[in-house]
Amino acid sequence: GAGVSQSPSNKVTEKGKDVELRCDPISGHTALYWYRQSLGQGLEFLIYFQGNSAPDKSGLPSDRFSAERTGGSVSTLTIQRTQQEDSAVYLCASSFGQGNTEAFFGQGTRLTVV
Amino acid sequence: GIQVEQSPPDLILQEGANSTLRCNFSDSVNNLQWFHQNPWGQLINLFYIPSGTKQNGRLSATTVATERYSLLYISSSQTTDSGVYFCAVCRYNQGGKLIFGQGTELSVKP
């Protein structure tokens, strides 16, 4: 596609449920990033995929969070047993990778845990 | 890891005024980007500028890599410039992920 696409745009879920957030990167981009932004805060790094390398998971806040990237393209961020503190906007970005090219962000998924 | 500091944290301008936003980083980097987050939350790419100077309309940016800082200049500000400006850097041999500063929140009053 022309840009990074994320779905859904908004998600309301009950505490304790699992959620899946999807990111379609720009075609040809080998690097994919997930960030989280709580209300009024900066961007918190979650996970980074680069090609076939092992992902950098150093930002995942707990073992309830996981992400995968199938076929080097689409990525899914899964949050298990959601908690109210998981409420935030989840942002995905992609780039050509190698850490020295321009990254572009999707519009984000606003997650609300009630 | 690399630390990124942005200043000022907040800025209020009258429409038509000029401003300079600063981004300091603690180590050499391969990539530096400036983003504008609009009131709807969308992150808009402004500049990809690991070094040198670039201009795009009323906005320009300069990165002095040897001194580890970057500046974003906004001239003749407009109300639509309001939002949060983020600087982000990465260093390939430290994994390549983008590391963000905390942002500068700009409010332009009519």
Side-chain angles (χ1 to χ4, degrees):
Chain A
V4 178
S5 178
Q6 293 186 245
S7 60
S9 297
N10 287 283
K11 176 73 175 178
V12 180
T13 190
E14 292 182 351
K15 179 181 173 181
K17 300 284 190 184
D18 298 350
V19 294
E20 288 189 351
L21 312 180
R22 178 187 169 103
C23 174
D24 278 281
I26 293 171
S27 178
H29 280 189
T30 59
L32 188 146
Y33 318 72
W34 282 99
Y35 289 83
R36 177 170 73 172
Q37 188 175 32
S38 300
L39 189 62
Q41 302 298 310
L43 276 79
E44 175 189 7
F45 167 75
L46 296 176
I47 189 168
Y48 168 61
F49 297 89
Q50 169 51 46
N52 295 321
S53 301
D56 178 350
K57 303 180 181 180
S58 61
L60 294 178
S62 77
D63 58 8
R64 295 187 296 105
F65 288 73
S66 62
E68 63 177 20
R69 189 176 184 194
T70 53
S73 181
V74 171
S75 177
T76 302
L77 176 69
T78 300
I79 309 173
Q80 295 179 312
R81 306 181 301 282
T82 51
Q83 303 294 315
Q84 288 187 330
E85 61 262 30
D86 300 333
S87 296
V89 176
Y90 289 80
L91 291 157
C92 175
S94 71
S95 76
F96 281 112
Q98 302 300 311
N100 58 358
T101 61
E102 189 172 5
F104 295 86
F105 278 81
Q107 82 283 9
T109 292
R110 183 176 299 277
L111 175 66
T112 303
V113 181
V114 297
Chain B
I2 300 173
Q3 304 297 313
V4 183
E5 293 184 0
Q6 292 187 242
S7 60
D10 303 280
L11 186 59
I12 299 175
L13 297 176
Q14 206 65 34
E15 198 169 27
N18 303 327
S19 63
T20 301
L21 281 57
R22 187 176 180 104
C23 172
N24 291 333
F25 43 97
S26 61
D27 205 345
S28 60
V29 297
N30 299 106
N31 176 12
L32 188 146
Q33 290 185 243
W34 283 98
F35 296 91
H36 175 215
Q37 189 168 42
N38 63 24
W40 296 271
Q42 178 70 42
L43 278 162
I44 309 298
N45 288 36
L46 296 179
F47 294 101
Y48 167 64
I49 186 165
S51 64
T53 298
K54 291 186 177 180
Q55 180 155 8
N56 184 4
R58 297 181 295 103
L59 273 61
S60 64
T62 295
T63 297
V64 183
T66 53
E67 297 187 21
R68 300 178 185 167
Y69 72 88
S70 184
L71 302 174
L72 177 69
Y73 305 96
I74 304 174
S75 64
S76 304
S77 58
Q78 301 176 359
T79 56
T80 52
D81 294 332
S82 296
V84 182
Y85 290 79
F86 288 103
C87 168
V89 305
C90 78
R91 185 181 168 112
Y92 178 54
N93 65 4
Q94 290 186 12
K97 62 179 180 277
L98 273 175
I99 300 165
F100 279 78
Q102 285 303 302
T104 292
E105 184 164 7
L106 174 65
S107 179
V108 181
K109 305 295 187 184

